[in-house]
Structure formats: structure tokens, C-alpha cells
PDB file of all heavy atoms in Angstrom:
ATOM      1  N   ALA A  75     162.349 147.314 309.715  1.00 96.00           N
ATOM      2  CA  ALA A  75     162.259 148.756 309.429  1.00 96.00           C
ATOM      3  C   ALA A  75     163.135 149.164 308.245  1.00 96.00           C
ATOM      4  O   ALA A  75     163.105 150.319 307.837  1.00 96.00           O
ATOM      5  CB  ALA A  75     162.668 149.557 310.661  1.00 96.00           C
ATOM      6  N   HIS A  76     163.915 148.238 307.722  1.00 97.00           N
ATOM      7  CA  HIS A  76     164.862 148.538 306.638  1.00 97.00           C
ATOM      8  C   HIS A  76     165.855 149.610 307.080  1.00 97.00           C
ATOM      9  O   HIS A  76     166.128 150.564 306.355  1.00 97.00           O
ATOM     10  CB  HIS A  76     164.141 148.955 305.355  1.00 97.00           C
ATOM     11  CG  HIS A  76     163.154 147.948 304.875  1.00 97.00           C
ATOM     12  ND1 HIS A  76     163.520 146.747 304.304  1.00 97.00           N
ATOM     13  CD2 HIS A  76     161.805 147.940 304.910  1.00 97.00           C
ATOM     14  CE1 HIS A  76     162.448 146.053 303.998  1.00 97.00           C
ATOM     15  NE2 HIS A  76     161.386 146.754 304.362  1.00 97.00           N
ATOM     16  N   LEU A  77     166.383 149.426 308.298  1.00 96.00           N
ATOM     17  CA  LEU A  77     167.355 150.359 308.863  1.00 96.00           C
ATOM     18  C   LEU A  77     168.673 149.643 309.148  1.00 96.00           C
ATOM     19  O   LEU A  77     168.675 148.476 309.545  1.00 96.00           O
ATOM     20  CB  LEU A  77     166.840 150.949 310.181  1.00 96.00           C
ATOM     21  CG  LEU A  77     165.632 151.864 310.145  1.00 96.00           C
ATOM     22  CD1 LEU A  77     165.159 152.165 311.565  1.00 96.00           C
ATOM     23  CD2 LEU A  77     165.976 153.152 309.415  1.00 96.00           C
ATOM     24  N   LYS A  78     169.776 150.362 308.985  1.00 96.00           N
ATOM     25  CA  LYS A  78     171.078 149.872 309.434  1.00 96.00           C
ATOM     26  C   LYS A  78     171.371 150.412 310.826  1.00 96.00           C
ATOM     27  O   LYS A  78     172.113 149.816 311.589  1.00 96.00           O
ATOM     28  CB  LYS A  78     172.174 150.296 308.467  1.00 96.00           C
ATOM     29  CG  LYS A  78     172.068 149.608 307.132  1.00 96.00           C
ATOM     30  CD  LYS A  78     173.197 150.003 306.223  1.00 96.00           C
ATOM     31  CE  LYS A  78     173.035 149.280 304.894  1.00 96.00           C
ATOM     32  NZ  LYS A  78     174.091 149.588 303.976  1.00 96.00           N
ATOM     33  N   ARG A  79     170.765 151.564 311.127  1.00 95.00           N
ATOM     34  CA  ARG A  79     170.945 152.226 312.416  1.00 95.00           C
ATOM     35  C   ARG A  79     169.629 152.909 312.783  1.00 95.00           C
ATOM     36  O   ARG A  79     168.966 153.486 311.939  1.00 95.00           O
ATOM     37  CB  ARG A  79     172.043 153.283 312.286  1.00 95.00           C
ATOM     38  CG  ARG A  79     172.393 153.961 313.570  1.00 95.00           C
ATOM     39  CD  ARG A  79     173.299 155.174 313.326  1.00 95.00           C
ATOM     40  NE  ARG A  79     173.287 156.037 314.463  1.00 95.00           N
ATOM     41  CZ  ARG A  79     172.287 156.853 314.798  1.00 95.00           C
ATOM     42  NH1 ARG A  79     171.216 156.922 314.065  1.00 95.00           N
ATOM     43  NH2 ARG A  79     172.352 157.603 315.870  1.00 95.00           N
ATOM     44  N   ALA A  80     169.269 152.833 314.059  1.00 95.00           N
ATOM     45  CA  ALA A  80     168.018 153.440 314.533  1.00 95.00           C
ATOM     46  C   ALA A  80     168.309 154.730 315.297  1.00 95.00           C
ATOM     47  O   ALA A  80     169.407 154.921 315.811  1.00 95.00           O
ATOM     48  CB  ALA A  80     167.279 152.462 315.442  1.00 95.00           C
ATOM     49  N   ASP A  81     167.311 155.591 315.357  1.00 92.00           N
ATOM     50  CA  ASP A  81     167.416 156.799 316.176  1.00 92.00           C
ATOM     51  C   ASP A  81     167.042 156.516 317.627  1.00 92.00           C
ATOM     52  O   ASP A  81     167.520 157.176 318.540  1.00 92.00           O
ATOM     53  CB  ASP A  81     166.487 157.898 315.639  1.00 92.00           C
ATOM     54  CG  ASP A  81     166.912 158.423 314.282  1.00 92.00           C
ATOM     55  OD1 ASP A  81     168.120 158.373 313.982  1.00 92.00           O
ATOM     56  OD2 ASP A  81     166.039 158.872 313.527  1.00 92.00           O
ATOM     57  N   TRP A  82     166.158 155.539 317.820  1.00 92.00           N
ATOM     58  CA  TRP A  82     165.685 155.229 319.170  1.00 92.00           C
ATOM     59  C   TRP A  82     165.274 153.756 319.250  1.00 92.00           C
ATOM     60  O   TRP A  82     165.043 153.116 318.230  1.00 92.00           O
ATOM     61  CB  TRP A  82     164.520 156.123 319.586  1.00 92.00           C
ATOM     62  CG  TRP A  82     163.411 156.185 318.578  1.00 92.00           C
ATOM     63  CD1 TRP A  82     163.243 157.127 317.597  1.00 92.00           C
ATOM     64  CD2 TRP A  82     162.325 155.261 318.426  1.00 92.00           C
ATOM     65  NE1 TRP A  82     162.117 156.838 316.861  1.00 92.00           N
ATOM     66  CE2 TRP A  82     161.535 155.709 317.345  1.00 92.00           C
ATOM     67  CE3 TRP A  82     161.941 154.109 319.097  1.00 92.00           C
ATOM     68  CZ2 TRP A  82     160.390 155.042 316.915  1.00 92.00           C
ATOM     69  CZ3 TRP A  82     160.797 153.441 318.675  1.00 92.00           C
ATOM     70  CH2 TRP A  82     160.035 153.903 317.606  1.00 92.00           C
ATOM     71  N   ALA A  83     165.224 153.254 320.479  1.00 94.00           N
ATOM     72  CA  ALA A  83     164.807 151.871 320.718  1.00 94.00           C
ATOM     73  C   ALA A  83     163.963 151.796 321.985  1.00 94.00           C
ATOM     74  O   ALA A  83     164.234 152.481 322.970  1.00 94.00           O
ATOM     75  CB  ALA A  83     166.017 150.952 320.863  1.00 94.00           C
ATOM     76  N   VAL A  84     162.935 150.965 321.929  1.00 93.00           N
ATOM     77  CA  VAL A  84     162.093 150.671 323.087  1.00 93.00           C
ATOM     78  C   VAL A  84     162.166 149.164 323.290  1.00 93.00           C
ATOM     79  O   VAL A  84     161.993 148.399 322.339  1.00 93.00           O
ATOM     80  CB  VAL A  84     160.631 151.108 322.854  1.00 93.00           C
ATOM     81  CG1 VAL A  84     159.765 150.729 324.044  1.00 93.00           C
ATOM     82  CG2 VAL A  84     160.555 152.600 322.580  1.00 93.00           C
ATOM     83  N   CYS A  85     162.429 148.736 324.511  1.00 94.00           N
ATOM     84  CA  CYS A  85     162.634 147.315 324.782  1.00 94.00           C
ATOM     85  C   CYS A  85     161.816 146.877 325.997  1.00 94.00           C
ATOM     86  O   CYS A  85     161.790 147.560 327.022  1.00 94.00           O
ATOM     87  CB  CYS A  85     164.115 147.070 325.045  1.00 94.00           C
ATOM     88  SG  CYS A  85     164.523 145.371 325.461  1.00 94.00           S
ATOM     89  N   PHE A  86     161.157 145.750 325.853  1.00 94.00           N
ATOM     90  CA  PHE A  86     160.443 145.118 326.959  1.00 94.00           C
ATOM     91  C   PHE A  86     160.984 143.701 327.089  1.00 94.00           C
ATOM     92  O   PHE A  86     161.176 143.025 326.072  1.00 94.00           O
ATOM     93  CB  PHE A  86     158.931 145.084 326.703  1.00 94.00           C
ATOM     94  CG  PHE A  86     158.330 146.449 326.595  1.00 94.00           C
ATOM     95  CD1 PHE A  86     158.169 147.061 325.365  1.00 94.00           C
ATOM     96  CD2 PHE A  86     157.945 147.132 327.735  1.00 94.00           C
ATOM     97  CE1 PHE A  86     157.628 148.329 325.252  1.00 94.00           C
ATOM     98  CE2 PHE A  86     157.398 148.407 327.639  1.00 94.00           C
ATOM     99  CZ  PHE A  86     157.235 148.999 326.403  1.00 94.00           C
ATOM    100  N   PHE A  87     161.217 143.259 328.314  1.00 95.00           N
ATOM    101  CA  PHE A  87     161.753 141.912 328.502  1.00 95.00           C
ATOM    102  C   PHE A  87     161.100 141.259 329.714  1.00 95.00           C
ATOM    103  O   PHE A  87     160.693 141.936 330.654  1.00 95.00           O
ATOM    104  CB  PHE A  87     163.282 141.930 328.638  1.00 95.00           C
ATOM    105  CG  PHE A  87     163.813 142.907 329.654  1.00 95.00           C
ATOM    106  CD1 PHE A  87     164.085 142.508 330.954  1.00 95.00           C
ATOM    107  CD2 PHE A  87     164.037 144.228 329.299  1.00 95.00           C
ATOM    108  CE1 PHE A  87     164.579 143.404 331.885  1.00 95.00           C
ATOM    109  CE2 PHE A  87     164.537 145.140 330.217  1.00 95.00           C
ATOM    110  CZ  PHE A  87     164.804 144.720 331.520  1.00 95.00           C
ATOM    111  N   THR A  88     160.987 139.935 329.648  1.00 95.00           N
ATOM    112  CA  THR A  88     160.349 139.213 330.736  1.00 95.00           C
ATOM    113  C   THR A  88     161.275 139.142 331.953  1.00 95.00           C
ATOM    114  O   THR A  88     162.489 139.345 331.852  1.00 95.00           O
ATOM    115  CB  THR A  88     159.953 137.790 330.305  1.00 95.00           C
ATOM    116  OG1 THR A  88     161.111 137.087 329.880  1.00 95.00           O
ATOM    117  CG2 THR A  88     158.913 137.820 329.196  1.00 95.00           C
ATOM    118  N   SER A  89     160.696 138.840 333.087  1.00 93.00           N
ATOM    119  CA  SER A  89     161.445 138.843 334.344  1.00 93.00           C
ATOM    120  C   SER A  89     162.575 137.818 334.371  1.00 93.00           C
ATOM    121  O   SER A  89     163.514 137.959 335.152  1.00 93.00           O
ATOM    122  CB  SER A  89     160.497 138.630 335.523  1.00 93.00           C
ATOM    123  OG  SER A  89     159.731 137.463 335.339  1.00 93.00           O
ATOM    124  N   SER A  90     162.538 136.815 333.510  1.00 94.00           N
ATOM    125  CA  SER A  90     163.641 135.852 333.471  1.00 94.00           C
ATOM    126  C   SER A  90     164.936 136.499 332.972  1.00 94.00           C
ATOM    127  O   SER A  90     166.018 135.964 333.195  1.00 94.00           O
ATOM    128  CB  SER A  90     163.276 134.639 332.622  1.00 94.00           C
ATOM    129  OG  SER A  90     162.957 135.022 331.322  1.00 94.00           O
ATOM    130  N   HIS A  91     164.839 137.646 332.333  1.00 95.00           N
ATOM    131  CA  HIS A  91     166.023 138.378 331.876  1.00 95.00           C
ATOM    132  C   HIS A  91     166.355 139.556 332.783  1.00 95.00           C
ATOM    133  O   HIS A  91     167.326 140.271 332.522  1.00 95.00           O
ATOM    134  CB  HIS A  91     165.811 138.908 330.450  1.00 95.00           C
ATOM    135  CG  HIS A  91     165.820 137.867 329.393  1.00 95.00           C
ATOM    136  ND1 HIS A  91     166.926 137.114 329.075  1.00 95.00           N
ATOM    137  CD2 HIS A  91     164.832 137.446 328.561  1.00 95.00           C
ATOM    138  CE1 HIS A  91     166.638 136.287 328.089  1.00 95.00           C
ATOM    139  NE2 HIS A  91     165.368 136.466 327.762  1.00 95.00           N
ATOM    140  N   LEU A  92     165.584 139.784 333.824  1.00 92.00           N
ATOM    141  CA  LEU A  92     165.756 140.967 334.662  1.00 92.00           C
ATOM    142  C   LEU A  92     167.157 141.073 335.260  1.00 92.00           C
ATOM    143  O   LEU A  92     167.734 142.159 335.309  1.00 92.00           O
ATOM    144  CB  LEU A  92     164.708 140.989 335.780  1.00 92.00           C
ATOM    145  CG  LEU A  92     164.721 142.209 336.701  1.00 92.00           C
ATOM    146  CD1 LEU A  92     164.561 143.500 335.896  1.00 92.00           C
ATOM    147  CD2 LEU A  92     163.623 142.087 337.741  1.00 92.00           C
ATOM    148  N   HIS A  93     167.743 139.965 335.672  1.00 93.00           N
ATOM    149  CA  HIS A  93     169.075 139.996 336.279  1.00 93.00           C
ATOM    150  C   HIS A  93     170.155 140.425 335.285  1.00 93.00           C
ATOM    151  O   HIS A  93     171.270 140.754 335.676  1.00 93.00           O
ATOM    152  CB  HIS A  93     169.422 138.629 336.885  1.00 93.00           C
ATOM    153  CG  HIS A  93     169.621 137.537 335.875  1.00 93.00           C
ATOM    154  ND1 HIS A  93     168.571 136.990 335.153  1.00 93.00           N
ATOM    155  CD2 HIS A  93     170.744 136.933 335.456  1.00 93.00           C
ATOM    156  CE1 HIS A  93     169.052 136.068 334.333  1.00 93.00           C
ATOM    157  NE2 HIS A  93     170.356 136.011 334.487  1.00 93.00           N
ATOM    158  N   ARG A  94     169.830 140.478 333.996  1.00 94.00           N
ATOM    159  CA  ARG A  94     170.776 140.897 332.955  1.00 94.00           C
ATOM    160  C   ARG A  94     170.288 142.167 332.248  1.00 94.00           C
ATOM    161  O   ARG A  94     170.601 142.404 331.081  1.00 94.00           O
ATOM    162  CB  ARG A  94     170.959 139.786 331.918  1.00 94.00           C
ATOM    163  CG  ARG A  94     171.460 138.450 332.419  1.00 94.00           C
ATOM    164  CD  ARG A  94     172.949 138.367 332.756  1.00 94.00           C
ATOM    165  NE  ARG A  94     173.854 139.128 331.921  1.00 94.00           N
ATOM    166  CZ  ARG A  94     174.420 138.713 330.800  1.00 94.00           C
ATOM    167  NH1 ARG A  94     174.165 137.528 330.320  1.00 94.00           N
ATOM    168  NH2 ARG A  94     175.243 139.503 330.130  1.00 94.00           N
ATOM    169  N   ALA A  95     169.529 142.992 332.952  1.00 93.00           N
ATOM    170  CA  ALA A  95     168.988 144.225 332.353  1.00 93.00           C
ATOM    171  C   ALA A  95     170.084 145.115 331.788  1.00 93.00           C
ATOM    172  O   ALA A  95     169.922 145.709 330.720  1.00 93.00           O
ATOM    173  CB  ALA A  95     168.156 144.987 333.378  1.00 93.00           C
ATOM    174  N   ASP A  96     171.220 145.200 332.472  1.00 93.00           N
ATOM    175  CA  ASP A  96     172.329 146.020 331.969  1.00 93.00           C
ATOM    176  C   ASP A  96     172.858 145.478 330.643  1.00 93.00           C
ATOM    177  O   ASP A  96     173.212 146.248 329.752  1.00 93.00           O
ATOM    178  CB  ASP A  96     173.459 146.100 332.995  1.00 93.00           C
ATOM    179  CG  ASP A  96     173.102 146.944 334.197  1.00 93.00           C
ATOM    180  OD1 ASP A  96     172.140 147.725 334.110  1.00 93.00           O
ATOM    181  OD2 ASP A  96     173.784 146.813 335.226  1.00 93.00           O
ATOM    182  N   ALA A  97     172.912 144.157 330.524  1.00 95.00           N
ATOM    183  CA  ALA A  97     173.380 143.541 329.274  1.00 95.00           C
ATOM    184  C   ALA A  97     172.395 143.812 328.142  1.00 95.00           C
ATOM    185  O   ALA A  97     172.812 144.069 327.002  1.00 95.00           O
ATOM    186  CB  ALA A  97     173.570 142.042 329.469  1.00 95.00           C
ATOM    187  N   ILE A  98     171.098 143.757 328.436  1.00 96.00           N
ATOM    188  CA  ILE A  98     170.092 144.067 327.415  1.00 96.00           C
ATOM    189  C   ILE A  98     170.269 145.503 326.945  1.00 96.00           C
ATOM    190  O   ILE A  98     170.300 145.779 325.746  1.00 96.00           O
ATOM    191  CB  ILE A  98     168.669 143.836 327.943  1.00 96.00           C
ATOM    192  CG1 ILE A  98     168.406 142.334 328.100  1.00 96.00           C
ATOM    193  CG2 ILE A  98     167.626 144.470 327.024  1.00 96.00           C
ATOM    194  CD1 ILE A  98     167.091 141.997 328.736  1.00 96.00           C
ATOM    195  N   HIS A  99     170.401 146.420 327.881  1.00 93.00           N
ATOM    196  CA  HIS A  99     170.587 147.837 327.563  1.00 93.00           C
ATOM    197  C   HIS A  99     171.794 148.019 326.636  1.00 93.00           C
ATOM    198  O   HIS A  99     171.694 148.645 325.576  1.00 93.00           O
ATOM    199  CB  HIS A  99     170.757 148.625 328.870  1.00 93.00           C
ATOM    200  CG  HIS A  99     170.996 150.075 328.691  1.00 93.00           C
ATOM    201  ND1 HIS A  99     172.214 150.655 328.954  1.00 93.00           N
ATOM    202  CD2 HIS A  99     170.188 151.069 328.270  1.00 93.00           C
ATOM    203  CE1 HIS A  99     172.141 151.944 328.711  1.00 93.00           C
ATOM    204  NE2 HIS A  99     170.927 152.226 328.293  1.00 93.00           N
ATOM    205  N   ALA A 100     172.926 147.457 327.018  1.00 95.00           N
ATOM    206  CA  ALA A 100     174.152 147.610 326.232  1.00 95.00           C
ATOM    207  C   ALA A 100     174.038 146.955 324.860  1.00 95.00           C
ATOM    208  O   ALA A 100     174.456 147.536 323.849  1.00 95.00           O
ATOM    209  CB  ALA A 100     175.336 147.014 327.002  1.00 95.00           C
ATOM    210  N   THR A 101     173.452 145.778 324.805  1.00 97.00           N
ATOM    211  CA  THR A 101     173.342 145.048 323.536  1.00 97.00           C
ATOM    212  C   THR A 101     172.399 145.742 322.567  1.00 97.00           C
ATOM    213  O   THR A 101     172.694 145.849 321.371  1.00 97.00           O
ATOM    214  CB  THR A 101     172.889 143.592 323.790  1.00 97.00           C
ATOM    215  OG1 THR A 101     173.845 142.958 324.639  1.00 97.00           O
ATOM    216  CG2 THR A 101     172.778 142.812 322.496  1.00 97.00           C
ATOM    217  N   VAL A 102     171.264 146.227 323.057  1.00 97.00           N
ATOM    218  CA  VAL A 102     170.318 146.923 322.182  1.00 97.00           C
ATOM    219  C   VAL A 102     170.956 148.202 321.645  1.00 97.00           C
ATOM    220  O   VAL A 102     170.849 148.497 320.444  1.00 97.00           O
ATOM    221  CB  VAL A 102     168.982 147.217 322.904  1.00 97.00           C
ATOM    222  CG1 VAL A 102     168.102 148.142 322.068  1.00 97.00           C
ATOM    223  CG2 VAL A 102     168.253 145.921 323.220  1.00 97.00           C
ATOM    224  N   LEU A 103     171.635 148.959 322.493  1.00 95.00           N
ATOM    225  CA  LEU A 103     172.292 150.184 322.031  1.00 95.00           C
ATOM    226  C   LEU A 103     173.375 149.870 321.000  1.00 95.00           C
ATOM    227  O   LEU A 103     173.464 150.523 319.959  1.00 95.00           O
ATOM    228  CB  LEU A 103     172.893 150.959 323.204  1.00 95.00           C
ATOM    229  CG  LEU A 103     171.905 151.642 324.137  1.00 95.00           C
ATOM    230  CD1 LEU A 103     172.657 152.330 325.280  1.00 95.00           C
ATOM    231  CD2 LEU A 103     171.037 152.638 323.401  1.00 95.00           C
ATOM    232  N   GLU A 104     174.188 148.874 321.276  1.00 97.00           N
ATOM    233  CA  GLU A 104     175.273 148.502 320.361  1.00 97.00           C
ATOM    234  C   GLU A 104     174.718 148.005 319.021  1.00 97.00           C
ATOM    235  O   GLU A 104     175.186 148.405 317.952  1.00 97.00           O
ATOM    236  CB  GLU A 104     176.134 147.407 320.999  1.00 97.00           C
ATOM    237  CG  GLU A 104     177.239 146.897 320.098  1.00 97.00           C
ATOM    238  CD  GLU A 104     177.963 145.713 320.707  1.00 97.00           C
ATOM    239  OE1 GLU A 104     178.173 145.705 321.940  1.00 97.00           O
ATOM    240  OE2 GLU A 104     178.300 144.788 319.952  1.00 97.00           O
ATOM    241  N   THR A 105     173.724 147.132 319.075  1.00 97.00           N
ATOM    242  CA  THR A 105     173.183 146.533 317.856  1.00 97.00           C
ATOM    243  C   THR A 105     172.407 147.545 317.016  1.00 97.00           C
ATOM    244  O   THR A 105     172.488 147.540 315.792  1.00 97.00           O
ATOM    245  CB  THR A 105     172.280 145.332 318.209  1.00 97.00           C
ATOM    246  OG1 THR A 105     173.029 144.411 319.019  1.00 97.00           O
ATOM    247  CG2 THR A 105     171.797 144.613 316.965  1.00 97.00           C
ATOM    248  N   SER A 106     171.660 148.414 317.677  1.00 97.00           N
ATOM    249  CA  SER A 106     170.819 149.380 316.951  1.00 97.00           C
ATOM    250  C   SER A 106     171.580 150.624 316.515  1.00 97.00           C
ATOM    251  O   SER A 106     171.164 151.310 315.592  1.00 97.00           O
ATOM    252  CB  SER A 106     169.628 149.804 317.809  1.00 97.00           C
ATOM    253  OG  SER A 106     170.074 150.592 318.906  1.00 97.00           O
ATOM    254  N   GLY A 107     172.673 150.932 317.212  1.00 95.00           N
ATOM    255  CA  GLY A 107     173.422 152.145 316.915  1.00 95.00           C
ATOM    256  C   GLY A 107     172.779 153.408 317.438  1.00 95.00           C
ATOM    257  O   GLY A 107     173.249 154.513 317.177  1.00 95.00           O
ATOM    258  N   CYS A 108     171.699 153.272 318.195  1.00 91.00           N
ATOM    259  CA  CYS A 108     170.999 154.459 318.697  1.00 91.00           C
ATOM    260  C   CYS A 108     171.572 154.922 320.030  1.00 91.00           C
ATOM    261  O   CYS A 108     172.321 154.202 320.681  1.00 91.00           O
ATOM    262  CB  CYS A 108     169.497 154.185 318.820  1.00 91.00           C
ATOM    263  SG  CYS A 108     169.042 153.127 320.194  1.00 91.00           S
ATOM    264  N   LEU A 109     171.207 156.122 320.415  1.00 85.00           N
ATOM    265  CA  LEU A 109     171.635 156.682 321.694  1.00 85.00           C
ATOM    266  C   LEU A 109     170.466 156.859 322.654  1.00 85.00           C
ATOM    267  O   LEU A 109     170.672 157.157 323.821  1.00 85.00           O
ATOM    268  CB  LEU A 109     172.319 158.032 321.467  1.00 85.00           C
ATOM    269  CG  LEU A 109     173.577 157.989 320.601  1.00 85.00           C
ATOM    270  CD1 LEU A 109     174.097 159.405 320.354  1.00 85.00           C
ATOM    271  CD2 LEU A 109     174.645 157.128 321.237  1.00 85.00           C
ATOM    272  N   SER A 110     169.263 156.701 322.164  1.00 86.00           N
ATOM    273  CA  SER A 110     168.072 156.907 322.981  1.00 86.00           C
ATOM    274  C   SER A 110     167.380 155.575 323.219  1.00 86.00           C
ATOM    275  O   SER A 110     166.972 154.900 322.273  1.00 86.00           O
ATOM    276  CB  SER A 110     167.127 157.880 322.280  1.00 86.00           C
ATOM    277  OG  SER A 110     166.033 158.176 323.099  1.00 86.00           O
ATOM    278  N   PHE A 111     167.256 155.180 324.467  1.00 85.00           N
ATOM    279  CA  PHE A 111     166.742 153.859 324.830  1.00 85.00           C
ATOM    280  C   PHE A 111     165.734 153.989 325.962  1.00 85.00           C
ATOM    281  O   PHE A 111     165.926 154.748 326.902  1.00 85.00           O
ATOM    282  CB  PHE A 111     167.903 152.980 325.288  1.00 85.00           C
ATOM    283  CG  PHE A 111     167.506 151.638 325.815  1.00 85.00           C
ATOM    284  CD1 PHE A 111     167.430 150.543 324.980  1.00 85.00           C
ATOM    285  CD2 PHE A 111     167.222 151.458 327.162  1.00 85.00           C
ATOM    286  CE1 PHE A 111     167.081 149.303 325.465  1.00 85.00           C
ATOM    287  CE2 PHE A 111     166.871 150.216 327.661  1.00 85.00           C
ATOM    288  CZ  PHE A 111     166.791 149.137 326.802  1.00 85.00           C
ATOM    289  N   SER A 112     164.678 153.222 325.868  1.00 88.00           N
ATOM    290  CA  SER A 112     163.701 153.134 326.938  1.00 88.00           C
ATOM    291  C   SER A 112     163.325 151.672 327.070  1.00 88.00           C
ATOM    292  O   SER A 112     163.219 150.956 326.076  1.00 88.00           O
ATOM    293  CB  SER A 112     162.463 153.964 326.586  1.00 88.00           C
ATOM    294  OG  SER A 112     161.508 153.868 327.611  1.00 88.00           O
TER     295      SER A 112
END
């Protein structure tokens, strides 16, 4: 997207990562710099 920071993020992950859903949430927010996540 040629972005350094996003306004929003949408994430889908397979069930093998389900036990770490909180880590995905935190990592996507931290990496993207956004505050809106789904």
C-alpha cells in the first residue's frame, strides 16, 4: 500500500494460530500503527 502507518487493519488467520489470537491482534496493531482492527 506504500504506507508507513495504516488507519485500519483486517486480519484472517487459520485455526493453527487460534490459540495465539491475542498475539496476532497485538502484533498487527503494533506493526501497522493503526487503532482500528477487525
Side-chain angles (χ1 to χ4, degrees):
H76 304 288
L77 293 171
K78 292 182 180 181
R79 184 191 162 285
D81 293 332
W82 50 265
V84 177
C85 178
F86 297 94
F87 51 94
T88 59
S89 54
S90 59
H91 289 295
L92 183 57
H93 68 289
R94 301 284 324 272
D96 289 343
I98 289 174
H99 178 251
T101 301
V102 170
L103 289 178
E104 177 186 322
T105 305
S106 69
C108 74
L109 299 175
S110 185
F111 174 91
S112 179

